[in-house]
Amino acid sequence: MTVALEGLRIVLLAGGLFFFVTGSLGLLRFPDTYTRLHAVTKADNVGLGLLVAGLSLHSLEWQSTALMLLIWLFVMASGATSAQLLARYQREQDRQESASNGNR
Amino acid sequence: MEIAEAVLDTALIGLLLTMAWATLHTQRMSAAIALFAGFGMVLALIWARLRAPDLALAEAAIGAGLTSALLLRAASITREETIRIPTSRLWLRWLFVTAVFAWLAVHVLALSTLDGGHSLPELVTGQTPNSGVRHPVTAVLLNFRAWDTLLELLVLLLALLGFRQIARHNRHPYDADHHPAPWPLLKAWSRSLAPLLVVTGGYLLWRGSDDPGGAFQAGAVLAAALVLLRLSGQLPVFRWSRWTVRLAALTGPALFLSVAIGSAVMGEGWLNYPDNASTLLIVLIESAATVSIAVTLAFLVAGEEEDIAE
Amino acid sequence: MTIVTAYLLAGLALFLIGLHGLLTLQSMLRRIMAVNLMGSGVFLVLTALAARLPETDPVLHALVVTGLVVSISATALALRLHGALERHREDG
Amino acid sequence: MNPALSSMALPLLAGLLLLLAGPGLMRRWGGTLTLIVSVASGLAAWMALQSTLDSSRQEALLGGWEEGLAIRLELTALSALLLLFTALIHGLVALYAQFSRHGVSHAYWPLSCLLHGTLAALWLSGDLFNLYVTLELLGLVSVALLTQSGPRAWRPALNYLVLSLAASLCYLLGVAILYGQYGLLDIELLSGVTENDAVTRLALVLMTGGLMLKAAMWPLHGWLPAAHASAPTAVSALLSALVVKGPLFILWRLWSEVAPADLAIQAGPLFAAAGIAALIGGGYASLRSPYIKTLVAYSTVAQMGYAMMALGLLLFWQHPQMHVALWLFVIAHGLAKASLFMAAGEIQHTVGTTRISGLRGATQTAPIAMFAFAVAGGSLIGLPPSGGFLSKWVLLGPLLNDPWNWPWAAGVFLGTLVSAAYVFRAVIMAFDRVHIKRVNLNPDHTAQWLAMLPALLVWAMALSGNWLVQWLAGGGI
């Protein structure tokens, strides 16, 4: 029984790691802010989810699992909102820029 | 487990030092501030690693959170300047720095092993039961070395007074049209986040007597709530001229000082809490300190557009 | 090379990076950040010393909490002064 | 011990009450409340001084815990005298600020009370980390006071804040290393335990560096002239007379109690040599400065060099007379410097310019302020009836009686010569009545008389010399 659990845990943690790496890679490689926001929020949230799943198998007490799930929920909520705000701010900057070199 | 710890430590220390060096020496200012926020988080991780939860809480709330907010605000005012890295005789300077580091390191290494019997920590854990609280750090902060904490509340108050002096010569009072109306999304998010922060702050304050937490961490979290509400336009401009704001900012030091004087006059000595009332007194002082820390830090972070008609 | 020595040396290195930055950098914002780094370095030394005991030394933790709040208040005042100077220079 | 504690708590409480009262009440009652608090605090300090004469060293373990655990507050004859001195200077400056025409803004009063309380906490504290917090408090109060004179003081205030932050962090690193080695923060316990090894030396070097930067001692004095010259008159009087003395007091405690005896003896000549260099460097810069207030500010740097020399000689010889000379000098310099800055402020306002050349004919246009300037300058040089002369006389006593010490005596005379040069430079300019600088403002006589008050007190010190010496030497060093 534990071997299967152990195997599953490693797979989950590796998956989490993979998503974190792709998220940061996207952050570095993508051309403008909008695409970077996609990379960071989406990939890291999934990575964190997998990480939480893997770690909860490790400890198997429901308290720490509930706590980690709460943290994950909170990170997703704050990540999504700040991504929205940043994108909106960037769009406003671009609009001002295009307006200024439009009438120049 | 030994290798895992070694990998973790080298990663943390390597990250810490490279981010510290990069923060000071990158070209663009915005990159420097982003690195500084990251540095604060890595430092909070290191405090947790060194089994210091109180510090991890305080560092995350104060170091990474409020300091980065302050830096962003200051950077938005300064013209976006890419600094010219002084490269004159760079290697000579770094040679000198490494030499000084080696000299310091040789001496400090002698400290890493605890040879002499250091009685103070055992003294603290021994005396904590009759100090009114169970968590030793809070016992030291609010009972054994309460005089330090009182003076330190005055430090916070004085930073605010210095802040006020500058505001009095400030020819940029807050005008609503200059600031864009906050977006509905930001308003909704801050309205849902603020109660969560207040509850967490209250919880940290209450837990302070038994487990890591306490006045400073709770005050910083509450200050974050105040700043969030202020920046999203739900709170009016912080006005020092209104006496309620002043009372809130002064309750901490004033109550602490009056308890000190009261204990000197009625009790056995300066800051010598009567045994049966020490828990009540500590909780009272801690909550007053939390209120004044929250108001002072919120003022320092988001209190800039002050009306000069005071 | 126990944990304590590693973090002691890291604290010292951080202190020196901050001190070097303070002395060589011209931009005032960077110098304020450098002083913050020096503060973090000293606090790291303190916490590493606290970690020598099996159950860490509460006195040093209390000192570092006090030091943290002192450094945030001084940094806030320094940044406000810097902001006022910048705005003052803009107005000419 | 209770009168000393009340002498400390009164100003802190008054400061908080004034802040709570708000701007309206502060404008009307700020000055009078500050004066009352200074007088009351002075009386409490006087009672504390009397109580130290019989039992020389009193202490209070805050919170009633045992020795290493609680913070120890110590009261000796010297700290009681310094409490009295702080209350006296605050009273005089508050009097001047209240009645002088170009007074201070209403926000000055709570800050002055808080500064008074902080200094009292510093004189009494016997714990190394507690001294770090008081040092930080001192730095922040000074910056808050500095920024009162508006935008021109912001840059020096920012420089001062950043440097004083770095200095107190160096000091804290030294305290951390000492705690790492001996596991103690209490000065009295540490003095019995420290021995002369590399780690202790490193900690003491770090702490001394931090304290010298905060006390603006010669190689690290860059921030002081700009800061003290750009501050309002009353503030620069407080800063030069008192704030700079705090770190000097800690330095003295550090090297006379915490440091092992043989290390202190080795360090003595270094301090003395740095002191002589400061006297000459500060004096030369003061000679060349074109502005009145920077002249007075640089003379603070020079006179701090004199204090460092007295400290060095004290550490080297452990001679009780040197101890008396050091603290007599600190009191005489405080009074003289307060009077100098107030007189300079008055002259500047009457003559209408901040340059030394504007002093021409000042004996005609601002006679009382110029007289105060000359009298206070006389005490800085050490001319006979003043407190400055008393301290130099007590210092030179042991120096002259055996020929080995004559080089140090030559250093003292050289310092006297340099300080005479920069004081007389300004005074001679004032007697030049041939082409008087036209005066556009009617002089404010009350303020000029108030500026003279501390100068007269410096002269009065010579009369009350024997009590002072008896307190400092007899009452327990």
Side-chain angles (χ1 to χ4, degrees), chain D residues 40-52:
Chain D
S41 174
L43 283 178
W46 175 261
M47 279 156 31
L49 186 60
Q50 299 312 320
S51 70
T52 56

Side-chain angles (χ1 to χ4, degrees), chain B residues 7 54 93 103 127 160 236 295 308:
Chain B
V7 164
D54 293 78
R93 267 187 284 113
W103 176 60
Q127 287 288 359
L160 184 58
V295 170
I308 45 176

Side-chain angles (χ1 to χ4, degrees), chain A residues 74 78 81 84 88 92, chain B residues 183 185-186 189 193 196:
Chain A
F74 188 64
S78 63
T81 325
Q84 270 286 333
R88 201 180 291 252
E92 217 166 82
Chain B
W183 293 320
L185 176 69
L186 181 62
W189 174 241
L193 207 57
L196 192 68

Side-chain angles (χ1 to χ4, degrees), chain B:
Chain B
M1 274 311 279
E2 197 46 52
I3 315 115
E5 272 183 23
V7 164
L8 175 67
D9 287 331
T10 34
L12 279 177
I13 292 177
L15 206 58
L16 185 80
L17 295 181
T18 39
M19 284 177 106
W21 195 84
T23 309
L24 295 181
H25 297 285
T26 46
Q27 300 279 352
R28 286 197 356 264
M29 181 59 75
S30 49
I33 290 167
L35 278 165
F36 193 81
F39 171 83
M41 281 324 292
V42 169
L43 200 57
L45 276 176
I46 287 181
W47 297 147
R49 167 76 185 97
L50 287 172
R51 304 194 308 279
D54 293 78
L55 305 183
L57 275 168
E59 177 70 31
I62 295 176
L66 293 177
T67 316
S68 315
L70 283 167
L71 274 169
L72 275 173
R73 172 178 285 275
S76 66
I77 297 169
T78 48
R79 289 177 306 282
E80 174 61 34
E81 24 90 10
T82 56
I83 60 167
R84 186 186 47 70
I85 304 291
T87 51
S88 60
R89 297 189 308 285
L90 189 67
W91 61 273
L92 185 65
R93 267 187 284 113
W94 278 107
L95 200 67
F96 178 69
V97 169
T98 33
V100 169
F101 174 73
W103 176 60
L104 284 175
V106 159
H107 296 308
V108 167
L109 276 183
L111 296 178
S112 59
T113 54
L114 191 59
D115 40 25
H118 283 204
S119 62
L120 202 47
E122 289 89 22
L123 216 56
V124 167
T125 34
Q127 287 288 359
T128 307
N130 44 38
S131 74
V133 280
R134 270 177 300 287
H135 185 54
V137 175
T138 317
V140 171
L141 267 175
L142 283 159
N143 201 335
F144 304 144
R145 297 186 71 89
W147 180 236
D148 273 351
T149 315
L150 172 58
L151 285 182
E152 198 252 307
L153 285 177
L154 286 178
V155 166
L156 252 172
L157 178 66
L158 273 164
L160 184 58
L161 291 181
F163 196 94
R164 291 286 318 120
Q165 295 305 318
I166 304 160
R168 281 183 47 247
H169 297 273
N170 174 11
R171 288 192 303 278
H172 295 271
Y174 178 74
D175 44 12
D177 48 32
H178 170 66
H179 286 269
W183 293 320
L185 176 69
L186 181 62
K187 275 193 190 166
W189 174 241
S190 57
R191 256 204 302 276
S192 60
L193 207 57
L196 192 68
L197 284 172
V198 169
V199 167
T200 327
Y203 172 72
L204 279 175
L205 170 64
W206 183 251
R207 277 228 5 187
S209 48
D210 308 329
D211 294 297
F216 301 117
Q217 296 85 348
V221 168
L222 290 179
L226 286 173
V227 165
L228 193 61
L229 287 174
R230 168 70 201 94
L231 293 182
S232 63
Q234 263 120 21
L235 274 179
V237 177
F238 298 144
R239 281 199 167 53
W240 181 256
S241 50
R242 198 170 304 127
W243 69 273
T244 44
V245 173
R246 284 202 305 276
L247 184 66
L250 292 168
T251 40
L255 182 75
F256 213 150
L257 192 61
S258 41
V259 164
I261 295 171
S263 61
V265 169
M266 277 97 70
E268 293 84 17
W270 186 263
L271 281 176
N272 193 342
Y273 308 135
D275 287 346
N276 45 31
S278 59
T279 317
L280 174 68
L281 272 178
I282 286 182
V283 168
L284 211 63
I285 291 171
E286 223 181 347
S287 3
T290 306
V291 168
S292 59
I293 289 168
V295 170
T296 314
L297 284 177
F299 228 98
L300 288 174
V301 174
E304 205 164 292
E305 300 92 1
E306 175 62 49
D307 61 338
I308 45 176
E310 70 110 306

